[in-house]
Amino acid sequence: MRTHDQLVKKLMRRPGVRAEVERIEREEAALLDALLKARQGAGLTQAQVAKRMGTQAPSVARLERSLATGRHSPSIATIRKYVKACGKNLILRVAP
């Protein structure tokens, strides 16, 4: 029986799997960068964003960390709340 890590390692050797994982990582890194720039541009701390979102600072830290690690994908509703708390608007675009 294989462990999870062994299975992931095997799958990552497949070019198509590796390319897709790398694409997702790039997209999530770009999203995290945009969110952090929005928060920093607004001059807000995680605690201030959390208060505006009606949540606690650890939740905002988890949101930011989840995008950095790729371990969890926050919902669009959560990202929208975060962006609104930073005084920005979320605009989604589907590109070819």
Side-chain angles (χ1 to χ4, degrees):
M1 184 171 214
R2 292 185 183 202
T3 67
H4 177 265
D5 290 340
Q6 290 170 326
L7 183 58
V8 168
K9 190 175 181 178
K10 181 180 178 186
L11 288 172
M12 288 299 286
R13 284 187 285 231
R14 292 177 160 176
V17 172
R18 178 175 291 286
E20 183 63 12
V21 168
E22 289 171 352
R23 183 190 64 77
I24 291 168
E25 288 173 350
R26 282 191 306 274
E27 288 176 355
E28 289 181 351
L31 177 58
L32 175 61
D33 186 53
L35 293 178
L36 293 176
K37 283 181 180 176
R39 180 169 64 79
Q40 292 166 350
L44 299 170
T45 65
Q46 288 179 339
Q48 291 167 319
V49 170
K51 184 174 182 180
R52 291 179 178 195
M53 290 176 68
T55 190
Q56 301 295 316
S59 296
V60 172
R62 274 192 306 276
L63 167 68
E64 291 177 357
R65 189 173 48 252
S66 72
L67 289 168
T69 63
R71 292 189 146 193
H72 173 72
S73 295
S75 70
I76 293 173
T78 299
I79 293 171
R80 184 175 287 117
K81 284 182 186 179
Y82 180 103
V83 170
K84 186 174 180 179
C86 294
K88 305 287 184 186
N89 292 305
L90 179 65
I91 299 172
L92 299 175
R93 180 174 63 93
V94 177

